[in-house]
PDB file of all heavy atoms in Angstrom:
ATOM      1  N   ILE A   1       1.459   6.953   1.137  1.00  0.00           N
ATOM      2  CA  ILE A   1       2.655   6.098   1.447  1.00  0.00           C
ATOM      3  C   ILE A   1       2.953   5.075   0.412  1.00  0.00           C
ATOM      4  O   ILE A   1       4.131   4.813   0.098  1.00  0.00           O
ATOM      5  CB  ILE A   1       2.358   5.330   2.806  1.00  0.00           C
ATOM      6  CG1 ILE A   1       1.889   6.326   3.925  1.00  0.00           C
ATOM      7  CG2 ILE A   1       3.528   4.609   3.250  1.00  0.00           C
ATOM      8  CD1 ILE A   1       2.858   7.475   4.182  1.00  0.00           C
ATOM      9  N   ASN A   2       2.032   4.404  -0.217  1.00  0.00           N
ATOM     10  CA  ASN A   2       2.271   3.454  -1.244  1.00  0.00           C
ATOM     11  C   ASN A   2       3.198   3.844  -2.248  1.00  0.00           C
ATOM     12  O   ASN A   2       4.039   3.017  -2.721  1.00  0.00           O
ATOM     13  CB  ASN A   2       0.981   2.788  -1.752  1.00  0.00           C
ATOM     14  CG  ASN A   2       0.348   1.878  -0.764  1.00  0.00           C
ATOM     15  OD1 ASN A   2       0.953   1.443   0.252  1.00  0.00           O
ATOM     16  ND2 ASN A   2      -1.009   1.559  -1.002  1.00  0.00           N
ATOM     17  N   PRO A   3       3.098   5.067  -2.891  1.00  0.00           N
ATOM     18  CA  PRO A   3       3.966   5.533  -3.963  1.00  0.00           C
ATOM     19  C   PRO A   3       5.466   5.442  -3.492  1.00  0.00           C
ATOM     20  O   PRO A   3       6.278   5.218  -4.240  1.00  0.00           O
ATOM     21  CB  PRO A   3       3.448   6.970  -4.214  1.00  0.00           C
ATOM     22  CG  PRO A   3       2.005   7.015  -3.892  1.00  0.00           C
ATOM     23  CD  PRO A   3       1.929   6.082  -2.597  1.00  0.00           C
ATOM     24  N   PHE A   4       5.626   5.835  -2.286  1.00  0.00           N
ATOM     25  CA  PHE A   4       7.055   5.849  -1.708  1.00  0.00           C
ATOM     26  C   PHE A   4       7.562   4.425  -1.525  1.00  0.00           C
ATOM     27  O   PHE A   4       8.723   4.223  -1.725  1.00  0.00           O
ATOM     28  CB  PHE A   4       7.159   6.781  -0.418  1.00  0.00           C
ATOM     29  CG  PHE A   4       6.936   8.031  -0.748  1.00  0.00           C
ATOM     30  CD1 PHE A   4       5.671   8.781  -0.889  1.00  0.00           C
ATOM     31  CD2 PHE A   4       8.016   8.951  -0.987  1.00  0.00           C
ATOM     32  CE1 PHE A   4       5.484  10.117  -1.150  1.00  0.00           C
ATOM     33  CE2 PHE A   4       7.906  10.304  -1.295  1.00  0.00           C
ATOM     34  CZ  PHE A   4       6.611  10.871  -1.390  1.00  0.00           C
ATOM     35  N   ILE A   5       6.657   3.463  -1.151  1.00  0.00           N
ATOM     36  CA  ILE A   5       7.108   2.142  -1.051  1.00  0.00           C
ATOM     37  C   ILE A   5       7.515   1.693  -2.518  1.00  0.00           C
ATOM     38  O   ILE A   5       8.550   0.901  -2.625  1.00  0.00           O
ATOM     39  CB  ILE A   5       5.967   1.226  -0.503  1.00  0.00           C
ATOM     40  CG1 ILE A   5       5.688   1.594   0.897  1.00  0.00           C
ATOM     41  CG2 ILE A   5       6.377  -0.219  -0.575  1.00  0.00           C
ATOM     42  CD1 ILE A   5       4.503   0.852   1.530  1.00  0.00           C
ATOM     43  N   ALA A   6       6.778   1.966  -3.483  1.00  0.00           N
ATOM     44  CA  ALA A   6       7.067   1.567  -4.887  1.00  0.00           C
ATOM     45  C   ALA A   6       8.367   2.243  -5.299  1.00  0.00           C
ATOM     46  O   ALA A   6       9.185   1.546  -5.942  1.00  0.00           O
ATOM     47  CB  ALA A   6       5.993   2.055  -5.798  1.00  0.00           C
ATOM     48  N   LEU A   7       8.587   3.453  -4.987  1.00  0.00           N
ATOM     49  CA  LEU A   7       9.919   4.145  -5.316  1.00  0.00           C
ATOM     50  C   LEU A   7      11.017   3.389  -4.638  1.00  0.00           C
ATOM     51  O   LEU A   7      12.112   3.213  -5.204  1.00  0.00           O
ATOM     52  CB  LEU A   7       9.912   5.631  -4.958  1.00  0.00           C
ATOM     53  CG  LEU A   7       8.930   6.535  -5.888  1.00  0.00           C
ATOM     54  CD1 LEU A   7       8.801   7.818  -5.287  1.00  0.00           C
ATOM     55  CD2 LEU A   7       9.619   6.652  -7.254  1.00  0.00           C
ATOM     56  N   ALA A   8      10.887   3.147  -3.364  1.00  0.00           N
ATOM     57  CA  ALA A   8      11.994   2.490  -2.568  1.00  0.00           C
ATOM     58  C   ALA A   8      12.239   1.074  -3.194  1.00  0.00           C
ATOM     59  O   ALA A   8      13.462   0.725  -3.283  1.00  0.00           O
ATOM     60  CB  ALA A   8      11.491   2.254  -1.080  1.00  0.00           C
ATOM     61  N   ARG A   9      11.217   0.369  -3.560  1.00  0.00           N
ATOM     62  CA  ARG A   9      11.397  -0.971  -4.129  1.00  0.00           C
ATOM     63  C   ARG A   9      12.227  -0.819  -5.407  1.00  0.00           C
ATOM     64  O   ARG A   9      13.142  -1.739  -5.660  1.00  0.00           O
ATOM     65  CB  ARG A   9      10.093  -1.680  -4.345  1.00  0.00           C
ATOM     66  CG  ARG A   9       9.347  -2.074  -3.066  1.00  0.00           C
ATOM     67  CD  ARG A   9       8.164  -2.775  -3.387  1.00  0.00           C
ATOM     68  NE  ARG A   9       8.287  -4.055  -3.999  1.00  0.00           N
ATOM     69  CZ  ARG A   9       7.387  -4.817  -4.550  1.00  0.00           C
ATOM     70  NH1 ARG A   9       6.143  -4.394  -4.589  1.00  0.00           N
ATOM     71  NH2 ARG A   9       7.721  -6.011  -5.110  1.00  0.00           N
ATOM     72  N   GLU A  10      11.969   0.142  -6.257  1.00  0.00           N
ATOM     73  CA  GLU A  10      12.605   0.242  -7.501  1.00  0.00           C
ATOM     74  C   GLU A  10      14.250   0.624  -7.208  1.00  0.00           C
ATOM     75  O   GLU A  10      15.100   0.046  -7.860  1.00  0.00           O
ATOM     76  CB  GLU A  10      12.121   1.407  -8.310  1.00  0.00           C
ATOM     77  CG  GLU A  10      12.846   1.737  -9.637  1.00  0.00           C
ATOM     78  CD  GLU A  10      12.851   0.687 -10.731  1.00  0.00           C
ATOM     79  OE1 GLU A  10      12.084  -0.329 -10.525  1.00  0.00           O
ATOM     80  OE2 GLU A  10      13.636   0.637 -11.625  1.00  0.00           O
ATOM     81  N   LEU A  11      14.408   1.497  -6.203  1.00  0.00           N
ATOM     82  CA  LEU A  11      15.718   1.862  -5.831  1.00  0.00           C
ATOM     83  C   LEU A  11      16.515   0.670  -5.340  1.00  0.00           C
ATOM     84  O   LEU A  11      17.709   0.366  -5.775  1.00  0.00           O
ATOM     85  CB  LEU A  11      15.734   2.857  -4.679  1.00  0.00           C
ATOM     86  CG  LEU A  11      15.362   4.264  -5.106  1.00  0.00           C
ATOM     87  CD1 LEU A  11      14.898   5.082  -3.919  1.00  0.00           C
ATOM     88  CD2 LEU A  11      16.528   5.069  -5.772  1.00  0.00           C
ATOM     89  N   ILE A  12      15.902  -0.273  -4.531  1.00  0.00           N
ATOM     90  CA  ILE A  12      16.443  -1.503  -4.045  1.00  0.00           C
ATOM     91  C   ILE A  12      16.803  -2.365  -5.106  1.00  0.00           C
ATOM     92  O   ILE A  12      17.819  -3.008  -5.229  1.00  0.00           O
ATOM     93  CB  ILE A  12      15.635  -2.028  -2.899  1.00  0.00           C
ATOM     94  CG1 ILE A  12      15.696  -1.167  -1.742  1.00  0.00           C
ATOM     95  CG2 ILE A  12      16.181  -3.528  -2.534  1.00  0.00           C
ATOM     96  CD1 ILE A  12      14.574  -1.485  -0.681  1.00  0.00           C
ATOM     97  N   ALA A  13      15.814  -2.509  -6.082  1.00  0.00           N
ATOM     98  CA  ALA A  13      16.065  -3.378  -7.274  1.00  0.00           C
ATOM     99  C   ALA A  13      17.204  -2.970  -8.061  1.00  0.00           C
ATOM    100  O   ALA A  13      17.921  -3.840  -8.727  1.00  0.00           O
ATOM    101  CB  ALA A  13      14.804  -3.454  -8.126  1.00  0.00           C
ATOM    102  N   ARG A  14      17.632  -1.746  -7.997  1.00  0.00           N
ATOM    103  CA  ARG A  14      18.736  -1.177  -8.831  1.00  0.00           C
ATOM    104  C   ARG A  14      20.092  -1.288  -8.012  1.00  0.00           C
ATOM    105  O   ARG A  14      21.145  -0.832  -8.396  1.00  0.00           O
ATOM    106  CB  ARG A  14      18.507   0.261  -9.281  1.00  0.00           C
ATOM    107  CG  ARG A  14      17.357   0.332 -10.225  1.00  0.00           C
ATOM    108  CD  ARG A  14      17.386   1.691 -10.924  1.00  0.00           C
ATOM    109  NE  ARG A  14      16.241   1.922 -11.734  1.00  0.00           N
ATOM    110  CZ  ARG A  14      16.100   2.921 -12.538  1.00  0.00           C
ATOM    111  NH1 ARG A  14      17.097   3.821 -12.757  1.00  0.00           N
ATOM    112  NH2 ARG A  14      15.005   3.089 -13.328  1.00  0.00           N
ATOM    113  N   GLY A  15      19.936  -1.883  -6.756  1.00  0.00           N
ATOM    114  CA  GLY A  15      21.227  -1.923  -5.913  1.00  0.00           C
ATOM    115  C   GLY A  15      21.452  -0.773  -4.991  1.00  0.00           C
ATOM    116  O   GLY A  15      22.488  -0.756  -4.413  1.00  0.00           O
ATOM    117  N   HIS A  16      20.486   0.119  -4.825  1.00  0.00           N
ATOM    118  CA  HIS A  16      20.631   1.266  -3.856  1.00  0.00           C
ATOM    119  C   HIS A  16      20.023   0.930  -2.525  1.00  0.00           C
ATOM    120  O   HIS A  16      19.235  -0.054  -2.402  1.00  0.00           O
ATOM    121  CB  HIS A  16      19.956   2.499  -4.506  1.00  0.00           C
ATOM    122  CG  HIS A  16      20.434   2.860  -5.806  1.00  0.00           C
ATOM    123  ND1 HIS A  16      21.843   3.150  -6.098  1.00  0.00           N
ATOM    124  CD2 HIS A  16      19.687   2.976  -7.034  1.00  0.00           C
ATOM    125  CE1 HIS A  16      21.850   3.430  -7.374  1.00  0.00           C
ATOM    126  NE2 HIS A  16      20.713   3.402  -8.056  1.00  0.00           N
ATOM    127  N   GLY A  17      20.439   1.646  -1.581  1.00  0.00           N
ATOM    128  CA  GLY A  17      19.829   1.666  -0.196  1.00  0.00           C
ATOM    129  C   GLY A  17      18.585   2.508  -0.214  1.00  0.00           C
ATOM    130  O   GLY A  17      18.651   3.698  -0.609  1.00  0.00           O
ATOM    131  N   ALA A  18      17.458   2.103   0.380  1.00  0.00           N
ATOM    132  CA  ALA A  18      16.223   2.924   0.513  1.00  0.00           C
ATOM    133  C   ALA A  18      15.612   2.681   1.807  1.00  0.00           C
ATOM    134  O   ALA A  18      15.353   1.564   2.234  1.00  0.00           O
ATOM    135  CB  ALA A  18      15.288   2.632  -0.676  1.00  0.00           C
ATOM    136  N   THR A  19      15.353   3.708   2.522  1.00  0.00           N
ATOM    137  CA  THR A  19      14.596   3.723   3.822  1.00  0.00           C
ATOM    138  C   THR A  19      13.522   4.714   3.787  1.00  0.00           C
ATOM    139  O   THR A  19      13.668   5.850   3.207  1.00  0.00           O
ATOM    140  CB  THR A  19      15.570   4.063   4.983  1.00  0.00           C
ATOM    141  OG1 THR A  19      16.715   3.086   5.011  1.00  0.00           O
ATOM    142  CG2 THR A  19      14.927   4.110   6.327  1.00  0.00           C
ATOM    143  N   LEU A  20      12.299   4.326   4.381  1.00  0.00           N
ATOM    144  CA  LEU A  20      11.242   5.176   4.404  1.00  0.00           C
ATOM    145  C   LEU A  20      10.902   5.612   5.879  1.00  0.00           C
ATOM    146  O   LEU A  20      10.701   4.779   6.766  1.00  0.00           O
ATOM    147  CB  LEU A  20      10.014   4.393   3.785  1.00  0.00           C
ATOM    148  CG  LEU A  20       8.663   5.220   3.773  1.00  0.00           C
ATOM    149  CD1 LEU A  20       8.780   6.565   3.077  1.00  0.00           C
ATOM    150  CD2 LEU A  20       7.638   4.300   2.923  1.00  0.00           C
ATOM    151  N   LEU A  21      10.932   6.897   6.045  1.00  0.00           N
ATOM    152  CA  LEU A  21      10.609   7.540   7.410  1.00  0.00           C
ATOM    153  C   LEU A  21       9.146   7.928   7.368  1.00  0.00           C
ATOM    154  O   LEU A  21       8.747   8.920   6.691  1.00  0.00           O
ATOM    155  CB  LEU A  21      11.583   8.754   7.570  1.00  0.00           C
ATOM    156  CG  LEU A  21      11.194   9.678   8.840  1.00  0.00           C
ATOM    157  CD1 LEU A  21      11.516   8.885  10.083  1.00  0.00           C
ATOM    158  CD2 LEU A  21      12.084  10.981   8.742  1.00  0.00           C
ATOM    159  N   THR A  22       8.361   7.311   8.179  1.00  0.00           N
ATOM    160  CA  THR A  22       6.892   7.644   8.143  1.00  0.00           C
ATOM    161  C   THR A  22       6.211   7.071   9.415  1.00  0.00           C
ATOM    162  O   THR A  22       6.807   6.533  10.362  1.00  0.00           O
ATOM    163  CB  THR A  22       6.303   7.012   6.854  1.00  0.00           C
ATOM    164  OG1 THR A  22       4.946   7.596   6.722  1.00  0.00           O
ATOM    165  CG2 THR A  22       6.186   5.527   6.937  1.00  0.00           C
ATOM    166  N   ASN A  23       4.933   7.286   9.408  1.00  0.00           N
ATOM    167  CA  ASN A  23       3.981   6.782  10.459  1.00  0.00           C
ATOM    168  C   ASN A  23       4.204   5.285  10.715  1.00  0.00           C
ATOM    169  O   ASN A  23       4.132   4.474   9.898  1.00  0.00           O
ATOM    170  CB  ASN A  23       2.601   7.114   9.971  1.00  0.00           C
ATOM    171  CG  ASN A  23       1.488   6.633  11.007  1.00  0.00           C
ATOM    172  OD1 ASN A  23       1.752   6.127  12.041  1.00  0.00           O
ATOM    173  ND2 ASN A  23       0.284   6.921  10.670  1.00  0.00           N
ATOM    174  N   PRO A  24       4.439   5.008  12.082  1.00  0.00           N
ATOM    175  CA  PRO A  24       4.643   3.501  12.291  1.00  0.00           C
ATOM    176  C   PRO A  24       3.545   2.625  12.073  1.00  0.00           C
ATOM    177  O   PRO A  24       3.660   1.380  12.037  1.00  0.00           O
ATOM    178  CB  PRO A  24       5.028   3.518  13.779  1.00  0.00           C
ATOM    179  CG  PRO A  24       5.569   4.900  14.112  1.00  0.00           C
ATOM    180  CD  PRO A  24       4.789   5.729  13.228  1.00  0.00           C
ATOM    181  N   TYR A  25       2.264   3.207  11.855  1.00  0.00           N
ATOM    182  CA  TYR A  25       1.087   2.320  11.463  1.00  0.00           C
ATOM    183  C   TYR A  25       1.495   1.553  10.188  1.00  0.00           C
ATOM    184  O   TYR A  25       1.050   0.453   9.989  1.00  0.00           O
ATOM    185  CB  TYR A  25       0.015   3.331  11.170  1.00  0.00           C
ATOM    186  CG  TYR A  25      -1.258   2.649  10.651  1.00  0.00           C
ATOM    187  CD1 TYR A  25      -2.221   2.102  11.420  1.00  0.00           C
ATOM    188  CD2 TYR A  25      -1.484   2.681   9.233  1.00  0.00           C
ATOM    189  CE1 TYR A  25      -3.290   1.465  10.817  1.00  0.00           C
ATOM    190  CE2 TYR A  25      -2.586   2.075   8.751  1.00  0.00           C
ATOM    191  CZ  TYR A  25      -3.557   1.501   9.595  1.00  0.00           C
ATOM    192  OH  TYR A  25      -4.643   0.831   9.006  1.00  0.00           O
ATOM    193  N   PHE A  26       2.286   2.147   9.284  1.00  0.00           N
ATOM    194  CA  PHE A  26       2.627   1.502   8.045  1.00  0.00           C
ATOM    195  C   PHE A  26       3.897   0.548   8.049  1.00  0.00           C
ATOM    196  O   PHE A  26       4.261  -0.001   7.154  1.00  0.00           O
ATOM    197  CB  PHE A  26       2.861   2.513   6.944  1.00  0.00           C
ATOM    198  CG  PHE A  26       1.600   3.287   6.607  1.00  0.00           C
ATOM    199  CD1 PHE A  26       1.417   4.574   7.156  1.00  0.00           C
ATOM    200  CD2 PHE A  26       0.590   2.761   5.908  1.00  0.00           C
ATOM    201  CE1 PHE A  26       0.278   5.220   6.932  1.00  0.00           C
ATOM    202  CE2 PHE A  26      -0.597   3.501   5.565  1.00  0.00           C
ATOM    203  CZ  PHE A  26      -0.737   4.626   6.113  1.00  0.00           C
ATOM    204  N   GLU A  27       4.415   0.366   9.226  1.00  0.00           N
ATOM    205  CA  GLU A  27       5.751  -0.362   9.417  1.00  0.00           C
ATOM    206  C   GLU A  27       5.533  -1.838   8.768  1.00  0.00           C
ATOM    207  O   GLU A  27       6.378  -2.246   8.120  1.00  0.00           O
ATOM    208  CB  GLU A  27       6.160  -0.401  10.803  1.00  0.00           C
ATOM    209  CG  GLU A  27       7.469  -1.182  10.981  1.00  0.00           C
ATOM    210  CD  GLU A  27       8.085  -1.152  12.320  1.00  0.00           C
ATOM    211  OE1 GLU A  27       7.442  -0.582  13.278  1.00  0.00           O
ATOM    212  OE2 GLU A  27       9.119  -1.871  12.577  1.00  0.00           O
ATOM    213  N   PRO A  28       4.461  -2.540   9.201  1.00  0.00           N
ATOM    214  CA  PRO A  28       4.398  -3.899   8.688  1.00  0.00           C
ATOM    215  C   PRO A  28       4.398  -4.098   7.132  1.00  0.00           C
ATOM    216  O   PRO A  28       5.055  -4.869   6.597  1.00  0.00           O
ATOM    217  CB  PRO A  28       3.104  -4.424   9.329  1.00  0.00           C
ATOM    218  CG  PRO A  28       2.940  -3.644  10.513  1.00  0.00           C
ATOM    219  CD  PRO A  28       3.390  -2.265  10.236  1.00  0.00           C
ATOM    220  N   THR A  29       3.680  -3.038   6.588  1.00  0.00           N
ATOM    221  CA  THR A  29       3.479  -3.168   5.100  1.00  0.00           C
ATOM    222  C   THR A  29       4.891  -2.716   4.430  1.00  0.00           C
ATOM    223  O   THR A  29       5.321  -3.298   3.432  1.00  0.00           O
ATOM    224  CB  THR A  29       2.495  -2.118   4.697  1.00  0.00           C
ATOM    225  OG1 THR A  29       1.191  -2.607   5.086  1.00  0.00           O
ATOM    226  CG2 THR A  29       2.396  -2.035   3.146  1.00  0.00           C
ATOM    227  N   ILE A  30       5.640  -1.741   4.971  1.00  0.00           N
ATOM    228  CA  ILE A  30       6.920  -1.295   4.500  1.00  0.00           C
ATOM    229  C   ILE A  30       7.952  -2.400   4.598  1.00  0.00           C
ATOM    230  O   ILE A  30       8.638  -2.750   3.600  1.00  0.00           O
ATOM    231  CB  ILE A  30       7.340   0.007   5.127  1.00  0.00           C
ATOM    232  CG1 ILE A  30       6.298   1.105   4.857  1.00  0.00           C
ATOM    233  CG2 ILE A  30       8.762   0.307   4.853  1.00  0.00           C
ATOM    234  CD1 ILE A  30       6.637   2.327   5.831  1.00  0.00           C
ATOM    235  N   ARG A  31       8.044  -3.034   5.721  1.00  0.00           N
ATOM    236  CA  ARG A  31       8.966  -4.121   5.990  1.00  0.00           C
ATOM    237  C   ARG A  31       8.605  -5.287   5.149  1.00  0.00           C
ATOM    238  O   ARG A  31       9.536  -6.004   4.646  1.00  0.00           O
ATOM    239  CB  ARG A  31       9.042  -4.481   7.519  1.00  0.00           C
ATOM    240  CG  ARG A  31       9.660  -3.412   8.344  1.00  0.00           C
ATOM    241  CD  ARG A  31      10.025  -3.933   9.686  1.00  0.00           C
ATOM    242  NE  ARG A  31      10.641  -2.842  10.485  1.00  0.00           N
ATOM    243  CZ  ARG A  31      11.883  -2.410  10.477  1.00  0.00           C
ATOM    244  NH1 ARG A  31      12.662  -2.858   9.613  1.00  0.00           N
ATOM    245  NH2 ARG A  31      12.205  -1.390  11.363  1.00  0.00           N
ATOM    246  N   ALA A  32       7.286  -5.619   4.956  1.00  0.00           N
ATOM    247  CA  ALA A  32       6.921  -6.755   4.143  1.00  0.00           C
ATOM    248  C   ALA A  32       7.356  -6.487   2.637  1.00  0.00           C
ATOM    249  O   ALA A  32       7.639  -7.448   1.985  1.00  0.00           O
ATOM    250  CB  ALA A  32       5.451  -7.017   4.196  1.00  0.00           C
ATOM    251  N   ALA A  33       7.444  -5.256   2.236  1.00  0.00           N
ATOM    252  CA  ALA A  33       7.914  -5.006   0.919  1.00  0.00           C
ATOM    253  C   ALA A  33       9.522  -5.001   0.800  1.00  0.00           C
ATOM    254  O   ALA A  33       9.940  -4.790  -0.299  1.00  0.00           O
ATOM    255  CB  ALA A  33       7.330  -3.632   0.501  1.00  0.00           C
ATOM    256  N   GLY A  34      10.159  -5.256   1.845  1.00  0.00           N
ATOM    257  CA  GLY A  34      11.575  -5.308   1.817  1.00  0.00           C
ATOM    258  C   GLY A  34      12.229  -3.958   1.827  1.00  0.00           C
ATOM    259  O   GLY A  34      13.394  -3.898   1.503  1.00  0.00           O
ATOM    260  N   VAL A  35      11.538  -2.956   2.432  1.00  0.00           N
ATOM    261  CA  VAL A  35      12.015  -1.646   2.445  1.00  0.00           C
ATOM    262  C   VAL A  35      12.464  -1.291   3.920  1.00  0.00           C
ATOM    263  O   VAL A  35      11.776  -1.743   4.831  1.00  0.00           O
ATOM    264  CB  VAL A  35      10.942  -0.606   1.982  1.00  0.00           C
ATOM    265  CG1 VAL A  35      11.472   0.791   2.121  1.00  0.00           C
ATOM    266  CG2 VAL A  35      10.734  -0.919   0.508  1.00  0.00           C
ATOM    267  N   GLY A  36      13.650  -0.504   4.019  1.00  0.00           N
ATOM    268  CA  GLY A  36      14.029  -0.114   5.291  1.00  0.00           C
ATOM    269  C   GLY A  36      12.984   0.843   5.905  1.00  0.00           C
ATOM    270  O   GLY A  36      12.508   1.608   5.175  1.00  0.00           O
ATOM    271  N   PHE A  37      12.876   0.876   7.235  1.00  0.00           N
ATOM    272  CA  PHE A  37      11.825   1.711   7.956  1.00  0.00           C
ATOM    273  C   PHE A  37      12.442   2.424   9.063  1.00  0.00           C
ATOM    274  O   PHE A  37      13.315   1.961   9.879  1.00  0.00           O
ATOM    275  CB  PHE A  37      10.798   0.795   8.486  1.00  0.00           C
ATOM    276  CG  PHE A  37       9.809   1.519   9.390  1.00  0.00           C
ATOM    277  CD1 PHE A  37       8.744   2.371   8.735  1.00  0.00           C
ATOM    278  CD2 PHE A  37       9.811   1.489  10.741  1.00  0.00           C
ATOM    279  CE1 PHE A  37       7.908   3.067   9.580  1.00  0.00           C
ATOM    280  CE2 PHE A  37       8.948   2.125  11.489  1.00  0.00           C
ATOM    281  CZ  PHE A  37       8.027   2.973  10.953  1.00  0.00           C
ATOM    282  N   GLU A  38      12.057   3.698   9.168  1.00  0.00           N
ATOM    283  CA  GLU A  38      12.406   4.558  10.387  1.00  0.00           C
ATOM    284  C   GLU A  38      11.069   5.233  10.915  1.00  0.00           C
ATOM    285  O   GLU A  38      10.289   5.658  10.071  1.00  0.00           O
ATOM    286  CB  GLU A  38      13.290   5.591   9.997  1.00  0.00           C
ATOM    287  CG  GLU A  38      14.772   5.175   9.849  1.00  0.00           C
ATOM    288  CD  GLU A  38      15.410   4.803  11.135  1.00  0.00           C
ATOM    289  OE1 GLU A  38      14.875   5.203  12.221  1.00  0.00           O
ATOM    290  OE2 GLU A  38      16.525   4.239  11.047  1.00  0.00           O
ATOM    291  N   PRO A  39      10.773   5.093  12.183  1.00  0.00           N
ATOM    292  CA  PRO A  39       9.496   5.595  12.726  1.00  0.00           C
ATOM    293  C   PRO A  39       9.463   7.098  12.792  1.00  0.00           C
ATOM    294  O   PRO A  39      10.444   7.721  13.202  1.00  0.00           O
ATOM    295  CB  PRO A  39       9.405   4.918  14.107  1.00  0.00           C
ATOM    296  CG  PRO A  39      10.804   4.770  14.454  1.00  0.00           C
ATOM    297  CD  PRO A  39      11.543   4.478  13.186  1.00  0.00           C
ATOM    298  N   LEU A  40       8.369   7.673  12.465  1.00  0.00           N
ATOM    299  CA  LEU A  40       8.097   9.109  12.654  1.00  0.00           C
ATOM    300  C   LEU A  40       6.872   9.239  13.523  1.00  0.00           C
ATOM    301  O   LEU A  40       5.755   9.061  13.246  1.00  0.00           O
ATOM    302  CB  LEU A  40       7.711   9.782  11.181  1.00  0.00           C
ATOM    303  CG  LEU A  40       7.402  11.267  11.214  1.00  0.00           C
ATOM    304  CD1 LEU A  40       8.688  11.988  11.750  1.00  0.00           C
ATOM    305  CD2 LEU A  40       6.972  11.675   9.832  1.00  0.00           C
ATOM    306  N   GLY A  41       7.133   9.723  14.728  1.00  0.00           N
ATOM    307  CA  GLY A  41       6.110   9.882  15.815  1.00  0.00           C
ATOM    308  C   GLY A  41       5.415   8.606  16.225  1.00  0.00           C
ATOM    309  O   GLY A  41       6.018   7.474  16.062  1.00  0.00           O
ATOM    310  N   GLU A  42       4.254   8.643  16.782  1.00  0.00           N
ATOM    311  CA  GLU A  42       3.585   7.530  17.227  1.00  0.00           C
ATOM    312  C   GLU A  42       2.590   7.029  16.193  1.00  0.00           C
ATOM    313  O   GLU A  42       2.237   7.725  15.178  1.00  0.00           O
ATOM    314  CB  GLU A  42       2.724   7.734  18.529  1.00  0.00           C
ATOM    315  CG  GLU A  42       3.556   8.287  19.670  1.00  0.00           C
ATOM    316  CD  GLU A  42       2.710   8.640  20.895  1.00  0.00           C
ATOM    317  OE1 GLU A  42       1.409   8.548  20.795  1.00  0.00           O
ATOM    318  OE2 GLU A  42       3.223   8.970  21.889  1.00  0.00           O
ATOM    319  N   ALA A  43       2.337   5.683  16.173  1.00  0.00           N
ATOM    320  CA  ALA A  43       1.480   5.051  15.215  1.00  0.00           C
ATOM    321  C   ALA A  43       0.089   5.675  15.242  1.00  0.00           C
ATOM    322  O   ALA A  43      -0.512   5.834  16.301  1.00  0.00           O
ATOM    323  CB  ALA A  43       1.326   3.550  15.496  1.00  0.00           C
ATOM    324  N   MET A  44      -0.416   6.099  14.122  1.00  0.00           N
ATOM    325  CA  MET A  44      -1.704   6.683  13.891  1.00  0.00           C
ATOM    326  C   MET A  44      -2.494   6.057  12.858  1.00  0.00           C
ATOM    327  O   MET A  44      -2.012   6.131  11.648  1.00  0.00           O
ATOM    328  CB  MET A  44      -1.717   8.223  13.811  1.00  0.00           C
ATOM    329  CG  MET A  44      -1.160   9.052  14.914  1.00  0.00           C
ATOM    330  SD  MET A  44      -1.395  10.796  14.585  1.00  0.00           S
ATOM    331  CE  MET A  44      -0.441  11.037  13.192  1.00  0.00           C
TER     332      MET A  44
END
């Protein structure tokens, strides 16, 4: 998951929109990084 957070942050830094669709377990970390989040299934 962390590599995709890093990619999303670079996209946002360049002025693009970036959202990460993944396990809700990682939602707090994704949102704390300033990245858009979409849940995939239940938190595991």
Side-chain angles (χ1 to χ4, degrees):
I1 307 303
N2 284 345
F4 289 84
I5 297 176
L7 288 166
R9 292 181 67 192
E10 176 69 13
L11 285 160
I12 292 167
R14 297 191 186 192
H16 305 302
T19 300
L20 181 50
L21 170 68
T22 193
N23 178 357
Y25 174 86
F26 295 100
E27 180 178 1
T29 296
I30 294 167
R31 292 197 182 278
V35 175
F37 171 76
E38 286 286 349
L40 178 64
E42 298 181 357
M44 293 189 299

